[in-house]
């Protein structure tokens, strides 16, 4: 019997340009999981907010997998709380669309707290079980952020709590997330399934560093430190800039041959205002540390180009304050680039300390500087970590994520039909 899944990803369109504000790992996750499920013969419709005016309503994502855009409020980028304010409209329009098409689904799989709210209304109406993946949790974010920049905390946490208790199953990206769901939200561990994220090994694979640098026209720098991600405080990019400042004070010889490439963030001022402001703030930090010649803001890149940057780098820094999984770290590892990451969330389970990367405490620019210096100056260590990283990354593919999610669907459906009998 062909299974049909309604996947809800209200604010993260799987076809969106990556690296800008609010588009990153979750978009990649939904895209890759929908494709992997589709390849297994499961029909997946991903429902997402209509954000880009010229996108058609329906776009094919892959075999058996489609993206369907649903109108809710005016088209364009909006902060998450504005998306929240239009969730009722999204829910109604989605319900109407599905009714008009005469479609029905076996199961609903929701991503992030915004989609959890829609799933809460529609799953009982459609009489289907609901599965939830949070990607990040409000209460975890609250622990590490000094202010609630998105103004979302309270409402978000309420919706998350409801989803933890009401969903038939929850997908967590790591064991650490299981602990967080249990300790902070009172989640039942029996309902939580750890399925780590994946990487596309045909796209992110080792390549000769010299070739990658030549193809990028970036052979002027002796050693490259790479940062990839959304330009937000939670990603710890300011900690990384301070670490680089320290590194140059402690190792003045490195100032002339180390550069940091910052990938991510929109550089077009009209495109994404809040992020541009953050980049201006970071540029001031660069100026304070006299690192203008060492730091280059590259802007967002597509993943084909990004693979070349990973291969060109000597080390990939992932200084996040919190990280539910950390796809960037896994992609770098798959390219054979050692990672210096923070000891938070999924990074701790992904990176084997001293074997496939180095881990430092979050927010600690001194420890980060030291770890980066170690990888840059100790050739044997770097080679050891590069091999370890590649070996470790081989365990994570989207194909196997798809397989585990498909198994989870079957077990949830078996339980829910047993309950109906
Ligand atoms: N990414 C990209 N282009 C960019 C910046 C990021 O394609 O300019 C992708 C990157 O390859 C990764 C994702 O965005 O797959 C970021 O995922 P991660 O889990 O590291 O962070 P999140 O966005 O989930 O916080």
């Amino acid at each position: 019997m062909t299974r049909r899944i309604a996947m809800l990803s209200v604010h993260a369109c799987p076809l969106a340009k990556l690296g800008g504000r609010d588009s990153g790992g979750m978009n990649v996750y939904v895209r890759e999981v929908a494709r992997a499920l589709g390849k297994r013969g499961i029909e997946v419709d991903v429902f997402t907010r209509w954000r880009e005016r010229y996108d058609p309503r329906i776009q094919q994502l892959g075999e058996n997998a489609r993206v369907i855009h649903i109108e809710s409020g005016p088209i364009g980028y909006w902060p998450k709380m504005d998306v929240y304010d239009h969730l009722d409209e999204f829910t109604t329009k989605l319900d109407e669309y599905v009714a008009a098409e005469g479609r029905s689904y076996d199961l609903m799989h929701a991503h992030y707290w915004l989609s959890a709210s829609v799933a809460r209304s529609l799953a009982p109406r459609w009489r289907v079980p609901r599965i939830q993946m949070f990607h990040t949790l409000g209460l975890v974010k609250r622990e590490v952020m000094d202010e609630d920049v998105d103004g979302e905390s309270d409402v978000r946490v309420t919706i998350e709590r409801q989803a933890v208790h009401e969903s038939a199953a929850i997908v967590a990206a790591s064991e650490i997330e299981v602990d967080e769901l249990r300790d902070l939200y009172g989640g039942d561990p029996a309902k939580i399934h750890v399925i780590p994220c994946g990487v596309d090994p045909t796209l992110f694979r080792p390549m000769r560093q010299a070739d990658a640098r030549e193809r990028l026209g970036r052979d002027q720098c002796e050693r490259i430190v790479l940062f990839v991600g959304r330009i937000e405080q939670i990603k710890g990019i300011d900690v990384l800039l301070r670490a680089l400042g320290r590194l140059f004070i402690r190792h003045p010889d490195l100032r002339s041959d180390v550069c940091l490439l910052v990938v991510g963030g929109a550089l077009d001022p009209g495109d994404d205002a809040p992020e541009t402001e953050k980049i201006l703030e970071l540029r001031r930090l660069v100026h304070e540390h006299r690192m203008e010649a060492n730091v280059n803001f590259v802007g967002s890149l597509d993943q084909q180009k990004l693979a070349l940057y990973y291969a060109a780098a000597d080390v990939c820094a992932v200084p996040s304050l919190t990280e539910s999984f950390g796809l960037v770290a896994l992609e770098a590892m798959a390219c054979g680039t050692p990672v210096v990451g923070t000891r938070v969330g999924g990074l701790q389970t992904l990176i084997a300390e001293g074997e496939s990367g180095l881990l430092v405490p979050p927010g600690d620019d001194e420890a980060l500087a030291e770890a980066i210096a170690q990888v840059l100056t100790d050739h044997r260590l770097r080679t050891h970590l590069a091999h370890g990283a590649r070996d470790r990354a081989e365990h994570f593919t989207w194909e196997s994520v798809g397989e585990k999610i498909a198994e989870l669907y079957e077990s949830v459906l078996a339980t829910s039909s047993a309950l109906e009998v």
Side-chain angles (χ1 to χ4, degrees), residues 323-369:
E323 193 69 77
S324 79
F325 183 77
L327 283 180
V328 161
L330 176 56
E331 290 161 359
M333 288 163 68
C335 295
T337 304
V339 174
V340 173
T342 41
R343 203 169 284 119
V344 297
L347 292 177
Q348 303 171 75
T349 50
L350 178 63
I351 299 168
E353 168 74 356
E355 293 303 319
S356 45
L358 298 181
L359 291 171
V360 298
D364 186 339
D365 49 82
E366 196 168 342
L368 185 60

Side-chain angles (χ1 to χ4, degrees), residues 91-373:
T91 306
T92 307
K93 292 263 170 66
L94 167 55
D95 200 22
E96 284 169 4
Y97 174 81
V98 168
E101 293 291 306
R103 297 281 283 181
S104 66
Y105 296 92
D106 297 296
L107 188 144
M108 191 174 277
H109 185 170
H111 297 272
Y112 203 56
W113 66 274
L114 289 164
S115 304
S117 173
V118 178
R120 183 166 205 255
S121 310
L122 288 185
R125 260 176 75 72
W126 295 2
R127 302 174 60 83
V128 294
R130 113 191 211 215
I131 290 183
Q132 177 67 35
M133 181 163 185
F134 290 103
H135 297 266
T136 58
L137 290 162
L139 285 177
V140 175
K141 192 171 166 191
R142 197 186 272 179
E143 275 179 4
V144 298
M145 300 286 282
D146 34 356
E147 57 173 324
D148 179 10
V149 261
D150 298 315
E152 62 182 15
S153 260
D154 291 342
V155 63
R156 172 178 182 167
V157 171
T158 304
I159 291 170
E160 286 174 340
R161 266 192 215 293
Q162 289 162 342
V164 165
H165 292 102
E166 295 166 3
S167 301
I170 295 165
V171 177
S174 75
E175 296 289 347
I176 310 286
E177 196 180 336
V178 179
D179 295 345
E180 290 162 352
L181 286 162
R182 188 195 52 216
D183 298 345
L184 302 173
Y185 290 85
D188 171 6
K191 261 193 351 191
I192 309 172
H193 303 260
V194 179
I195 305 179
C197 302
V199 64
D200 178 352
T202 60
L203 181 60
F204 297 109
R205 61 193 155 80
M207 174 195 275
R208 260 171 46 93
Q209 190 181 51
D211 292 346
R213 288 188 181 187
E214 197 184 312
R215 283 178 63 183
L216 292 173
R218 289 198 179 269
D219 40 12
Q220 54 280 67
C221 234
E222 191 78 28
R223 297 168 229 237
I224 296 178
V225 180
L226 179 69
F227 169 92
V228 178
R230 293 174 291 114
I231 308 292
E232 288 192 21
Q233 194 201 341
I234 205 143
K235 290 290 174 184
I237 167 87
D238 27 12
V239 184
L240 176 59
L241 291 177
R242 278 195 292 276
L244 201 64
R246 272 184 191 277
L247 183 86
F248 292 150
I249 292 171
R250 195 160 308 161
H251 305 268
D253 50 312
L254 290 181
R255 195 180 272 274
S256 58
D257 62 21
V258 170
C259 53
L260 167 67
L261 303 180
V262 177
V263 174
L267 289 186
D268 171 3
D271 191 19
D272 216 340
E275 195 162 87
T276 307
E277 225 169 78
K278 181 74 190 161
I279 290 179
L280 288 177
E281 188 189 313
L282 294 172
R283 282 193 199 285
R284 282 195 289 275
L285 204 53
V286 169
H287 178 71
E288 263 171 46
H289 290 274
R290 297 185 296 110
M291 301 191 298
E292 283 91 341
N294 303 92
V295 181
N296 192 333
F297 290 93
V298 178
S300 301
L301 296 174
D302 65 45
Q303 290 195 311
Q304 273 72 17
K305 197 85 186 273
L306 188 52
L308 292 175
Y309 276 79
Y310 286 129
D314 293 285
V315 58
C316 179
V318 186
S320 313
L321 304 183
T322 171
E323 193 69 77
S324 79
F325 183 77
L327 283 180
V328 161
L330 176 56
E331 290 161 359
M333 288 163 68
C335 295
T337 304
V339 174
V340 173
T342 41
R343 203 169 284 119
V344 297
L347 292 177
Q348 303 171 75
T349 50
L350 178 63
I351 299 168
E353 168 74 356
E355 293 303 319
S356 45
L358 298 181
L359 291 171
V360 298
D364 186 339
D365 49 82
E366 196 168 342
L368 185 60
E370 215 27 69
I372 291 175

